[in-house]
Amino acid sequence: MSRRKDEAGTFELLTRLPHQIVSLAKIEYQNAKREIITKAKRAGIGAGAIVVALFFLFFMLEALVIAAIAALAIVWPWWLAALVVAAALLLLAAVAILGGIALIKRGNPVPEETLDRVGGDLSAIGEVRVNAEPTATHHSAREMPRVGEEGNWR
């Protein structure tokens, strides 16, 4: 079986391979960049829609506060109704602030559970090393290095 003159041989194909791999990588990078940009634009539009919704929710809450004042103004004078609603909002804000402060104080950023597990793993490794059978150099278990003595393996 012979090849035609317009077909490339094995060595020629192998010399083209690095260039083709680099070209493929560049094309894939451009495709990934284009895809990320498209998805980021979509996410930005979604975030904008949420901001608009929050804007309308803010004014809706103001309307509900005004409605609460108007409802209480039927029974009490309008200034007393406004004062009671303002006090209730102040109380809700204080509860939210105190709850937030308590959550922040409890949120210790040190990964204590992970540190405990790593410490346990290191202890287990040290015990395995200490309790290991004597090696080919005929060291006894007492001569084997221990974790924690003078801060390093000895």
Side-chain angles (χ1 to χ4, degrees):
M1 179 170 180
S2 64
R3 66 181 165 95
R4 296 184 309 191
K5 291 188 178 202
D6 61 343
E7 292 180 346
T10 303
F11 291 114
E12 186 178 342
L13 290 174
L14 288 175
T15 57
R16 290 184 197 168
L17 187 60
H19 181 270
Q20 289 176 341
I21 290 173
V22 169
S23 296
L24 179 63
K26 286 180 181 178
I27 291 169
E28 289 299 333
Y29 171 75
Q30 293 297 329
N31 287 340
K33 193 166 80 169
R34 189 175 21 249
E35 183 180 355
I36 289 171
I37 289 171
T38 301
K39 289 183 177 183
K41 284 180 183 178
R42 225 177 274 143
I45 292 170
I50 290 172
V51 167
V52 169
L54 290 174
F55 177 77
F56 288 122
L57 280 175
F58 174 74
F59 285 109
M60 187 245 356
L61 288 174
E62 285 184 6
L64 288 175
V65 168
I66 292 169
I69 293 171
L72 289 175
I74 294 172
V75 180
W76 297 330
W78 67 268
W79 60 268
L80 182 59
L83 194 61
V84 167
V85 170
L89 292 173
L90 181 64
L91 181 65
L92 289 173
V95 167
I97 288 172
L98 292 175
I101 290 172
L103 288 173
I104 289 171
K105 285 184 179 179
R106 277 196 290 159
N108 188 359
V110 177
E112 293 172 359
E113 293 176 11
T114 302
L115 291 175
D116 289 342
R117 281 194 305 268
V118 169
D121 292 345
L122 290 175
S123 296
I125 290 170
E127 289 175 15
V128 168
R129 181 91 169 134
V130 170
N131 295 328
E133 292 294 320
T135 61
T137 59
H138 303 293
H139 291 290
S140 68
R142 289 185 187 143
E143 295 173 359
M144 298 301 288
R146 295 176 186 251
V147 174
E149 291 180 359
E150 297 178 17
N152 55 18
W153 294 88
R154 60 176 191 117

